[in-house]
Amino acid sequence: MRSVVKHATAALALSACAAVAVAQQELKPLFTPEEFFNGSVSGKGTITTLFFWDEDFTNAFSGRVQQDETLIEERFTFTDATPKQYWRFKRLGDGRYSGDVTTEGKDGKLRGPQPVEAWLDKSGFHIDYSGHAPDGGDTQYRFRHDLTLQPDGTVVNDVSISWWGIPLASSRAVFTRQPAP
């Protein structure tokens, strides 16, 4: 009888530990921008404008963590242009980030920095801001990025773009970390 109680107590303790481990894993974000974008990342995607015009693009990222900030240079390649965006994120705690984005326009001039609101949750990393389109003009649009880690280690970035609350475009890109040289 005593050995049954010991085994039952041990099984109960192990299942309690497993439940805590699962709960902690569920609270832990799947990835963080400072880990994923530290180094080289490549991407490939499509932007759909006004729900019927598609344009393919690629992007290349070069990121680094400097003190408590993540600095990312992003180079887009469209069929007719190669604009850059510069991102800066600082972790605030509780999954929140402050930051900004600076975007190269069609005229080659940098616009910004524009403040961004970003946060992590179980589903991924989210970025929300008003800013300029890469290779665009002076008009500011509302951007919402939802980045989610995939089982194969890539990250899918779904972006919605609107102007005065009217949806104008969407984009989906897949990002892949490049091996360190």
Side-chain angles (χ1 to χ4, degrees), residues 55-75:
E55 181 179 7
D56 293 333
F57 65 90
T58 61
N59 39 11
F61 301 85
S62 176
R64 69 184 191 280
V65 176
Q66 183 176 307
Q67 296 175 356
D68 61 349
E69 291 186 330
T70 302
L71 307 171
I72 305 166
E73 178 182 312
E74 178 179 15
R75 163 80 63 191

Side-chain angles (χ1 to χ4, degrees), residues 18-32:
V20 168
V22 167
Q24 287 174 341
Q25 185 178 19
E26 287 176 3
L27 293 176
K28 182 182 178 207
L30 297 176
F31 79 103
T32 63

Side-chain angles (χ1 to χ4, degrees), residues 109-129:
K109 293 181 182 174
L110 294 176
R111 289 167 172 77
Q114 299 297 131
V116 302
E117 180 182 336
W119 64 97
L120 277 170
D121 62 23
K122 288 191 312 185
S123 67
F125 185 58
H126 312 281
I127 308 167
D128 192 53
Y129 66 98

Side-chain angles (χ1 to χ4, degrees), residues 29 31-35 68 70 88-99 116-120 125-126:
F31 79 103
T32 63
E34 53 269 45
E35 290 173 5
D68 61 349
T70 302
R88 183 179 62 82
F89 295 104
K90 181 177 182 178
R91 184 177 266 211
L92 301 174
D94 295 334
R96 295 176 301 117
Y97 289 75
S98 66
V116 302
E117 180 182 336
W119 64 97
L120 277 170
F125 185 58
H126 312 281

Side-chain angles (χ1 to χ4, degrees), residues 92-171:
L92 301 174
D94 295 334
R96 295 176 301 117
Y97 289 75
S98 66
D100 57 59
V101 60
T102 302
T103 305
E104 184 178 9
K106 188 172 281 301
D107 57 8
K109 293 181 182 174
L110 294 176
R111 289 167 172 77
Q114 299 297 131
V116 302
E117 180 182 336
W119 64 97
L120 277 170
D121 62 23
K122 288 191 312 185
S123 67
F125 185 58
H126 312 281
I127 308 167
D128 192 53
Y129 66 98
S130 290
H132 302 90
D135 195 42
D138 290 326
T139 303
Q140 287 198 13
Y141 301 96
R142 191 78 190 169
F143 293 84
R144 167 66 186 259
H145 294 251
D146 294 306
L147 293 93
T148 55
L149 182 67
Q150 303 303 299
D152 64 359
T154 61
V155 168
V156 170
N157 182 23
D158 287 311
V159 182
S160 59
I161 305 157
S162 61
W163 183 69
W164 291 96
I166 301 166
L168 297 179
S170 63
S171 174

